Amino acid sequence: MEQTTHNEPSSRLSSIDLLRGLIIILMALDHTRNYWGVTPFSPTDLEFSNWAWFFTRWITHFCAPLFVFLTGVSAFLYAQKVQDAKQLRHFLFTRGVWLIILEIALITPSWQVSYNTIVLQVIWVIGCSMVLLSLLINMSTKWILLLTLPFLLLHNAVNDTAIMGALGSFAWLWQMLHVQGAITLKSLGISTFIAYPLIPWFSIMALGYVVGQVYTWSPQTRIPYLTNLGLGLIMSFILLRATGIYGDPQNFVAQQNTITSILSFLNTHKYPPSLQYTLMTIGPGLILLAQLEKLNSNDNLYSYLSWLKVFGAVPLFFYVIHVPIINGAAHLYTWFKFGEPINMFFAFNKLPPNYAPSLWLTYCVWLLLLWALYYPCKHYANLKNRSSNPVLSYL
C-alpha cells in the first residue's frame, strides 16, 4: 500500500469533518421535523404524503449510516495515530460504554421530558458497536471484513419471527440484535424501545473501519478508489431495487406517475437498515467524501462549505444539546399556540384539533437552530483543541 504524503492528513480530515458536519445539520433537520413538523402520517407513506414531505425525511436517511460508517473510519485513523492496540482497545471500549450511559441517562430524558421509557437510538448503537469493535482490533482488516460483512449482506434473509418464537422468553435478546420494537422487563419494571438494533449497524461501523485503511494510501489512489467503490454500491442498489431479487422487506412497485414511482424506488427500510438502504446511503457518501477531499483552502467552494467543519468537529456535543433545545422550544411554542405544552414527537396520533403541519415552520426553526448553535459549537471545538482534559474529548 502506498503511504500518505506529509501534507495530506489535514486534507483528509477536513473532508471527513465536512461530511460529518453535513450529516449533523441534516440530522438536526429530521429532529426539528419531529417536534415542529409532526404529521399524522409517515412522511414516507406514499398513500398520504407528498414529495416535499418525503424528501425532507428521505435526505436525512443518509445521517445514521454515514455517521456510523465514519465512526469506523475515525477508529482506524486513531489506530494509525497511536500505533498501540492496547490504547486503541481502551479508547473504543471506554468511549463505547460512555455513549451507552449517555444515551440512557441524558439523551433519552431530553427526548421525552418525563422519563417513561428508555429509548435506545443511534448513540446507543454506536457505543455498543465501539465496544464490539474493541474486541476485534487484533485481527487484520481482512479478517474483520470476512467476519462482519456476511451479517450486512445476509441479515435480510433472516426469519425474525421464527427466531423470536424459538427463543421464547428470551426473544428480547433478538430484538436488541435485529428487530425494532418495545421490550418490557417485568421483573425490573423497565420499558425499553429498541430503535436501532445492533447487528446491521455494527457491520456498517466495521466496514468503515476496514475502508479506513485507504487513508494510508496516496490521494491519487484513494480518491478514485472511494469514487469507484461508491459507484459500485449505487449500481448494486439500483440492480437490487429494480429487480426485487433481495435486500429489502418491501419491493419496489411502480406507481401511477413518474414522481411517485421515483419515491417508491427510494423508499427503503431503515429499522433495521436493509441491504438496499445501506447501499443507497453509503454509496453516495463515499463519492462525496472523495470529492470533498479534492477541495483546498483556496477554492471558493471550500470557503462556502468550511462552516460545516465547526459542526463536524464536535458532533456529540451538538447532539447532546440540540434535542433539549428543540424539544423545550417546541413545548413553549405549543403552550402559547394551543394553551398547553405538548411533546409533539409523542403526540403524532393525538394532535390538537387546530394543528396543521408546516414545512415552512420546520425549515425556519431548523435554520434558526443552526445559527444559534454555530458559535457554541465553534467555541467548544476551540476549547477541546486547546485543553488536555480527557473529559472534554468525550464530547
Side-chain angles (χ1 to χ4, degrees):
M1 292 184 180
E2 300 177 64
Q3 298 299 311
T4 55
T5 56
H6 292 297
N7 61 350
E8 189 261 329
S10 62
S11 172
R12 77 186 185 194
L13 294 177
S14 290
S15 64
I16 292 173
D17 277 346
L18 284 170
L19 180 56
R20 195 155 43 201
L22 179 60
I23 294 167
I24 287 297
I25 68 169
L26 290 177
M27 174 202 70
L29 172 61
D30 194 40
H31 295 168
T32 303
R33 180 189 57 81
N34 285 332
Y35 288 101
W36 291 82
V38 181
T39 53
F41 52 84
S42 169
T44 55
D45 187 337
L46 301 182
E47 183 178 353
F48 301 102
S49 190
N50 59 46
W51 68 268
W53 283 107
F54 180 95
F55 278 111
T56 298
R57 171 56 175 152
W58 179 82
I59 194 64
T60 66
H61 277 344
F62 289 83
C63 300
L66 286 177
F67 195 80
V68 173
F69 179 86
L70 289 179
T71 302
V73 172
S74 297
F76 183 88
L77 294 177
Y78 184 79
Q80 296 299 111
K81 176 183 177 182
V82 299
Q83 294 292 316
D84 185 330
K86 184 177 180 181
Q87 185 176 346
L88 173 62
R89 184 181 299 106
H90 179 267
F91 171 78
L92 290 174
F93 185 86
T94 56
R95 187 172 178 83
V97 171
W98 159 245
L99 290 177
I100 295 170
I101 294 172
L102 192 67
E103 178 81 87
I104 296 172
L106 182 61
I107 295 175
T108 285
S110 75
W111 281 87
Q112 301 178 59
V113 179
S114 59
Y115 198 4
N116 298 321
T117 302
I118 297 174
V119 183
L120 301 179
Q121 300 187 83
V122 67
I123 300 301
W124 171 83
V125 87
I126 290 175
C128 288
S129 297
M130 293 180 79
V131 170
L132 289 178
L133 187 60
S134 74
L135 305 177
L136 303 181
I137 59 170
N138 283 337
M139 302 172 66
S140 68
T141 53
K142 174 183 175 180
W143 281 106
I144 292 176
L145 184 65
L146 289 174
L147 181 64
T148 59
L149 188 60
F151 289 99
L152 188 61
L153 298 178
L154 302 176
H155 78 94
N156 284 119
V158 172
N159 187 325
D160 293 317
T161 303
I163 292 177
M164 292 178 67
L167 289 174
S169 60
F170 292 96
W172 60 271
L173 287 172
W174 187 247
Q175 281 189 257
M176 295 186 73
L177 293 174
H178 198 251
V179 181
Q180 185 190 57
I183 298 173
T184 301
L185 302 178
K186 295 181 180 179
S187 59
L188 299 177
I190 297 174
S191 178
T192 303
F193 187 85
I194 310 297
Y196 283 72
L198 182 57
I199 286 177
W201 292 107
F202 169 64
S203 302
I204 292 173
M205 182 180 290
L207 179 64
Y209 185 82
V210 172
V211 172
Q213 67 184 319
V214 304
Y215 286 98
T216 63
W217 304 352
S218 69
Q220 293 78 12
T221 304
R222 175 174 58 253
I223 291 174
Y225 178 86
L226 289 174
T227 302
N228 292 333
L229 179 59
L231 287 171
L233 296 185
I234 292 172
M235 293 305 297
S236 298
F237 160 69
I238 292 173
L239 177 63
L240 289 175
R241 193 67 179 156
T243 60
I245 297 173
Y246 173 76
D248 198 84
Q250 185 172 340
N251 289 335
F252 161 66
V253 177
Q255 304 295 308
Q256 65 272 21
N257 59 66
T258 302
I259 295 295
T260 312
S261 291
I262 292 173
L263 302 188
S264 177
F265 194 86
L266 298 174
N267 194 17
T268 53
H269 196 266
K270 180 181 179 180
Y271 302 105
S274 69
L275 176 60
Q276 291 183 21
Y277 173 93
T278 303
L279 295 172
M280 179 186 73
T281 53
I282 299 295
L286 289 172
I287 295 174
L288 186 55
L289 189 62
Q291 299 310 305
L292 289 173
E293 193 171 339
K294 293 180 180 180
L295 301 177
N296 61 63
S297 57
N298 297 322
D299 293 332
N300 289 331
L301 181 58
Y302 181 88
S303 63
Y304 292 133
L305 297 176
S306 59
W307 63 276
L308 291 172
K309 291 173 58 180
V310 170
F311 297 121
V314 288
L316 184 57
F317 175 77
F318 183 97
Y319 191 101
V320 168
I321 66 174
H322 88 289
V323 172
I325 291 174
I326 297 170
N327 190 358
H331 271 73
L332 289 175
Y333 174 77
T334 54
W335 188 11
F336 285 111
K337 187 170 180 64
F338 303 112
E340 61 175 322
I342 303 171
N343 189 326
M344 296 298 287
F345 183 59
F346 294 93
F348 63 93
N349 59 349
K350 47 183 178 180
L351 295 167
N354 55 339
Y355 169 80
S358 169
L359 266 181
W360 285 107
L361 178 62
T362 299
Y363 277 94
C364 287
V365 173
W366 172 59
L367 293 174
L368 184 61
L369 174 75
L370 297 181
W371 173 81
L373 293 187
Y374 177 81
Y375 285 103
C377 288
K378 186 174 183 179
H379 176 74
Y380 187 82
N382 293 333
L383 179 64
K384 189 172 72 169
N385 290 334
R386 292 195 305 266
S387 175
S388 58
N389 189 334
V391 176
L392 293 179
S393 67
Y394 278 86
L395 281 177

